[in-house]
C-alpha cells in the first residue's frame, strides 16, 4: 500500500501526485471512461459524458463498453463521481449507468492480463468474481474531515 498527501479536487487527475501515480501504473493503451479535463501522458482513449470535455467519445460509460469494436485495452481507468450527490452537485447532474453493470461490461474491452485502476471510496472494485486480482492500493489523504481517495489496481487474470 502506498500513501500520499495531496489536495482534493473534483477532477481527480488534475492533482499532480495523483496524475503522476496513475500515469506510472498504466500499461499499454488506456481507456479513460470518465476522463474529465486532464490529459494524461499515456496512450489514452478518452470518454466523458460532458461534450465540453476534451474526449474522443461523449457517451455513457456503459454504452461505450457495450458497443466498443476496437482492440481491447491494456488498462481501463475508472474515476466516476463517487456518489449520486456528487454527480448532481459537481458534474451538471450527469449520472452514469449503474456501476455494477459498467464493471460487468469491462472484461469484454480488456486484454487478458490487463489492468483496471479505480478511484473511489472502496479498495476492491472488480473482484475475484469477475476474474480480477487486487495488486496494489494507494491512499490519497486530503486532510481534515475530507474523505480519502482510494485507488486500486486490479489485474484481469482470465
Amino acid at each position: 500500500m502506498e500513501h500520499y498527501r495531496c489536495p482534493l479536487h473534483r477532477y481527480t487527475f488534475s492533482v499532480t501526485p495523483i496524475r503522476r501515480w496513475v500515469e506510472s501504473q498504466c500499461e499499454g493503451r488506456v481507456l479513460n471512461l470518465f476522463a474529465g479535463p486532464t490529459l494524461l501522458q499515456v496512450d489514452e482513449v478518452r470518454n466523458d459524458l460532458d461534450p465540453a470535455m476534451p474526449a474522443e467519445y461523449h457517451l455513457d460509460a456503459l454504452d461505450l463498453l457495450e458497443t466498443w469494436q476496437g482492440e481491447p485495452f491494456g488498462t481501463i481507468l475508472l474515476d466516476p463521481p463517487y456518489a449520486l450527490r456528487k454527480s448532481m452537485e459537481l458534474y451538471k447532474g450527469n449520472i452514469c449507468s449503474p456501476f455494477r453493470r459498467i464493471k460487468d461490461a469491462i472484461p469484454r474491452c480488456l486484454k487478458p492480463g490487463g489492468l483496471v485502476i479505480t478511484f473511489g471510496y472502496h479498495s476492491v472494485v472488480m473482484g475475484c468474481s469477475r476474474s480480477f486480482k487486487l495488486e496494489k492500493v494507494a491512499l490519497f489523504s486530503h486532510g481534515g474531515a475530507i474523505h480519502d481517495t482510494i485507488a486500486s489496481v486490479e489485474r484481469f487474470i482470465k
Side-chain angles (χ1 to χ4, degrees), residues 60-74:
D60 178 84
L62 182 61
D63 292 340
L64 180 70
L65 291 168
E66 290 181 340
T67 61
W68 183 253
Q69 298 296 315
E71 292 291 318
F73 294 92

Side-chain angles (χ1 to χ4, degrees), residues 87-155:
S87 287
M88 300 306 292
E89 293 176 7
L90 300 176
Y91 302 100
K92 302 178 186 177
N94 287 326
I95 300 171
C96 67
S97 292
F99 201 51
R100 180 192 54 76
R101 290 184 59 203
I102 291 170
K103 294 185 295 185
D104 289 345
I106 282 175
R108 73 172 297 279
C109 299
L110 190 64
K111 291 179 177 181
L115 299 176
V116 174
I117 303 173
T118 308
F119 290 80
Y121 296 139
H122 306 284
S123 60
V124 176
V125 179
M126 296 302 294
C128 60
S129 65
R130 291 184 187 88
S131 299
F132 283 82
K133 181 178 182 199
L134 181 66
E135 287 193 348
K136 187 179 292 188
V137 173
L139 186 65
F140 297 94
S141 299
H142 308 300
I146 300 170
H147 291 291
D148 292 344
T149 299
I150 301 170
S152 62
V153 178
E154 294 171 282
R155 189 167 302 275

Side-chain angles (χ1 to χ4, degrees), residues 5-115:
R5 294 181 188 271
C6 58
L8 177 67
H9 193 277
R10 71 176 169 173
Y11 296 117
T12 309
F13 302 147
S14 70
V15 178
T16 300
I18 297 175
R19 186 186 73 248
R20 287 182 181 154
W21 182 87
V22 76
E23 289 170 344
S24 74
Q25 303 306 308
C26 291
E27 297 177 1
R29 195 157 157 242
V30 176
L31 174 58
N32 190 344
L33 277 175
F34 303 88
T38 306
L39 301 173
L40 298 174
Q41 297 299 307
V42 297
D43 181 11
E44 179 183 29
V45 173
R46 299 170 54 77
N47 178 65
D48 198 291
L49 263 178
D50 185 348
M53 292 296 157
E56 292 89 352
Y57 300 94
H58 298 285
L59 301 171
D60 178 84
L62 182 61
D63 292 340
L64 180 70
L65 291 168
E66 290 181 340
T67 61
W68 183 253
Q69 298 296 315
E71 292 291 318
F73 294 92
T75 302
I76 296 179
L77 298 178
L78 294 177
D79 183 32
Y82 303 161
L84 178 60
R85 182 189 59 78
K86 281 185 76 172
S87 287
M88 300 306 292
E89 293 176 7
L90 300 176
Y91 302 100
K92 302 178 186 177
N94 287 326
I95 300 171
C96 67
S97 292
F99 201 51
R100 180 192 54 76
R101 290 184 59 203
I102 291 170
K103 294 185 295 185
D104 289 345
I106 282 175
R108 73 172 297 279
C109 299
L110 190 64
K111 291 179 177 181
L115 299 176

